[in-house]
Amino acid sequence: MPSLMECSIDNIIKIFHQYSRQQDHPDRLNQSEFKELVQKELPNFLKKEGRDEEAIKEILEDLDTSGDKQLSFEEFSMLVAKLTEAAHEEMHKNNPKGDHHSHGGGFGPSQGSCQGQVGHSH
């Protein structure tokens, strides 16, 4: 049975391909595919950051290191890394520092399989 982290990685790959296969190249997200992915899969991020369509376009441009106006999985993975870091920072807000501290939710209430995983301590 895969671990939670392995399932999370698998889900990221599946989500990328769910949107990248809609048009053009099956291993790249074009602007409309990326916009749809962000709107459907990252609604709490958009709401929390007050992001709009122009911001989504700017995010794509920042991640698009090849300049082809599409995102490869490698470029997309940078978004995942940045969002993971931002969620981690959000979890630490208003929590005591020290050896044992707790985490809250990163981008709001969880949905689906990760729902039981929010609020761990280490």
Side-chain angles (χ1 to χ4, degrees), residues 1 4-5 10 12-13 16 22 29 39 47 50-51 64 71 82 93 96 104 106 110 113 115-116 118 122:
M1 175 187 265
L4 179 60
M5 183 172 235
D10 188 48
I12 290 166
I13 294 166
F16 175 84
Q22 294 177 2
L29 291 168
Q39 289 174 332
K47 190 182 329 174
R51 303 288 182 155
D64 181 19
L71 293 183
K82 289 177 181 182
K93 283 186 178 177
S110 294
S113 62
Q115 193 160 5
V118 176
H122 60 132

Side-chain angles (χ1 to χ4, degrees), residues 6-115:
E6 290 166 332
C7 287
S8 297
I9 291 168
D10 188 48
N11 283 330
I12 290 166
I13 294 166
K14 286 177 181 175
I15 289 168
F16 175 84
H17 284 292
Q18 176 183 337
Y19 293 91
S20 71
R21 291 182 176 157
Q22 294 177 2
Q23 304 170 17
D24 302 334
H25 195 288
D27 283 326
R28 295 190 172 282
L29 291 168
N30 65 29
Q31 187 171 339
S32 66
E33 292 167 334
F34 179 68
K35 176 183 165 187
E36 185 179 358
L37 183 152
V38 171
Q39 289 174 332
K40 289 184 177 176
E41 304 297 335
L42 298 168
N44 292 316
F45 166 71
L46 289 175
K47 190 182 329 174
K48 187 164 201 62
E49 299 298 316
R51 303 288 182 155
D52 58 13
E53 267 189 56
E54 189 60 33
I56 293 172
K57 184 178 175 184
E58 289 174 16
I59 293 167
L60 180 123
E61 289 171 359
D62 287 346
L63 295 169
D64 181 19
T65 57
S66 65
D68 63 359
K69 301 198 184 300
Q70 297 183 13
L71 293 183
S72 65
F73 185 78
E74 182 179 357
E75 291 167 328
F76 173 75
S77 68
M78 294 308 299
L79 173 67
V80 174
K82 289 177 181 182
L83 289 175
T84 303
E85 183 179 350
H88 185 251
E89 291 300 316
E90 186 66 26
M91 289 175 169
H92 280 277
K93 283 186 178 177
N94 302 318
N95 285 316
K97 305 282 186 220
D99 291 338
H100 300 286
H101 60 274
S102 62
H103 291 145
F107 289 117
S110 294
Q111 299 175 6
S113 62
C114 66
Q115 193 160 5

